[in-house]
Amino acid sequence: MLYFTRHGQTVWNVENKICGSTDSPLTTKGQKQAEELGRIIAEKGLLIDEILYSPLSRAADTAKRISEATGIPPRMEPRLIEQNFGKWESTPRDGLAFKKDKENFVSSFDGGESMLRLCQRIYNLLDELKAQPEKVYLLVAHNGIARAVHSYFFDMTNEEFAAFGIKNCEIRTYEFDREKG
């Protein structure tokens, strides 16, 4: 079993900008979202052994607040860093050209990271976690990472992959299929 959440709200989320691998801090609301998610995890008694989080401050701060509320130990995992969207970083999230470009999985967005490279590093991480069936992890990362994680567990079209998203501090549960590769 694996849990996934996206970091709390950031300044650039409010400003409708693509963050990608650019660091944007949590807003006050984002800090409260992280604290609330920690309380929810504690109240539900979710059995999580470790929190793995992206090195970007928005995810690290979210993970640390969840850890403080739950006592679950956090550890930075560099492969959870958000995709670098190259020329699209800091541009409007809802731009039509960006939306279309996200469907080109081989494009590195002029200096960024392609969807295929992103999935390679996330799938490698998930394969490692799957090989440890005795441990349950909470991954604290980003919307782009959420796409890759979801596609590891479910078939998706290119359009579904590009459009997939998760809300700030929404938590999802995934089950590893031990029969598959």
Side-chain angles (χ1 to χ4, degrees):
M1 177 180 290
L2 176 80
Y3 294 98
F4 182 91
T5 192
R6 181 180 174 203
H7 57 77
Q9 181 191 70
T10 69
V11 171
W12 277 16
N13 291 156
V14 173
E15 294 175 356
N16 193 41
K17 292 181 179 178
I18 297 166
C19 295
S21 63
T22 304
D23 223 345
S24 178
L26 293 177
T27 61
T28 301
K29 179 180 178 178
Q31 294 168 5
K32 289 178 181 171
Q33 289 171 324
E35 291 162 3
E36 177 64 17
L37 179 56
R39 280 193 291 276
I40 290 168
I41 290 170
E43 287 170 7
K44 288 186 174 183
L46 298 183
L47 300 176
I48 299 169
D49 297 296
E50 191 172 19
I51 300 169
L52 301 181
Y53 62 90
S54 159
L56 294 173
S57 69
R58 59 191 185 265
D61 291 347
T62 299
K64 289 171 186 169
R65 289 172 189 273
I66 293 169
S67 176
E68 288 168 6
T70 61
I72 301 167
R75 176 169 50 100
M76 193 268 289
E77 169 51 64
R79 290 174 288 183
L80 289 173
I81 194 167
E82 178 61 299
Q83 181 176 6
N84 181 326
F85 290 107
K87 67 182 180 183
W88 299 114
E89 303 249 336
S90 82
T91 66
R93 294 176 58 85
D94 52 6
L96 295 177
F98 172 65
K99 183 178 178 183
K100 185 66 181 161
D101 211 9
K102 279 195 327 185
E103 294 176 13
N104 182 353
F105 287 6
V106 182
S107 174
S108 294
F109 312 114
D110 294 335
E113 179 183 27
S114 72
M115 298 287 181
L116 290 178
R117 294 275 184 210
L118 165 74
C119 286
Q120 177 186 25
R121 68 178 158 89
I122 296 303
Y123 286 14
N124 288 345
L125 172 63
L126 293 173
D127 285 345
E128 289 173 21
L129 301 181
K130 180 180 176 179
Q132 302 171 45
E134 70 285 354
K135 288 192 84 174
V136 176
Y137 294 94
L138 167 62
L139 306 183
V140 180
H142 311 276
N143 217 18
I145 305 303
R147 283 184 205 97
V149 168
H150 196 76
S151 73
Y152 181 91
F153 291 94
F154 299 100
D155 286 342
M156 303 169 80
T157 65
N158 290 355
E159 293 78 13
E160 288 168 335
F161 181 93
F164 184 83
I166 183 171
K167 294 177 180 155
N168 296 109
C169 287
E170 176 184 347
I171 191 166
R172 297 216 171 184
T173 307
Y174 293 98
E175 295 281 346
F176 287 112
D177 181 353
R178 303 285 172 204
E179 303 301 316
K180 288 185 178 176

